[in-house]
Amino acid sequence: MPESQKLSPQDDLTKRIDAVAKTKARLEQEIHSILAQGKVAPASCWIVRYQAKGRTDNYWYYKLQASSPIFPTKTDGKLSRYQHLGKAGSQAYIDALEQITRRAKIEALDRSIESLNLGLKDLIEENSKYRQP
């Protein structure tokens, strides 16, 4: 940038604050878009593969597992730490995988937004130096 077009420190600070605020708003919109796509898995859930024995062969099945009981059971309504998903490629398996993927994306965006919040806080503190008489 030529010397005559160089921004004043206050204008540069205002420009950086605006850039951080716009980026934060865009990431928050991405989170809203992800939430609109469907259900998001709770933070304490993951997919587990387990082997079941049949009469003639062993089979691989999948379940959604949580660190504490959160899934209602079909028989007595109590809560379980597990939700059966069936075989790989079943609709329940795909749905659970998509829910976990949405959660991972939101968690990553939340971490980025937190970093932007810290940067915005620093910029506001820096801006207060220019406002003091």
Side-chain angles (χ1 to χ4, degrees), residues 4 6 10 12-13 27 52 54 65 70 83 102 127 130:
S4 62
K6 197 170 187 178
Q10 180 64 36
D12 177 61
L13 184 58
L27 295 182
Q65 184 170 328
I70 61 170
Q83 182 178 10
R102 284 186 205 104
N127 191 36
Y130 291 106

Side-chain angles (χ1 to χ4, degrees), residues 39-52:
K39 189 175 175 184
V40 176
S44 63
C45 294
W46 61 94
I47 294 177
V48 175
R49 179 178 155 206
Y50 66 98
Q51 194 171 36

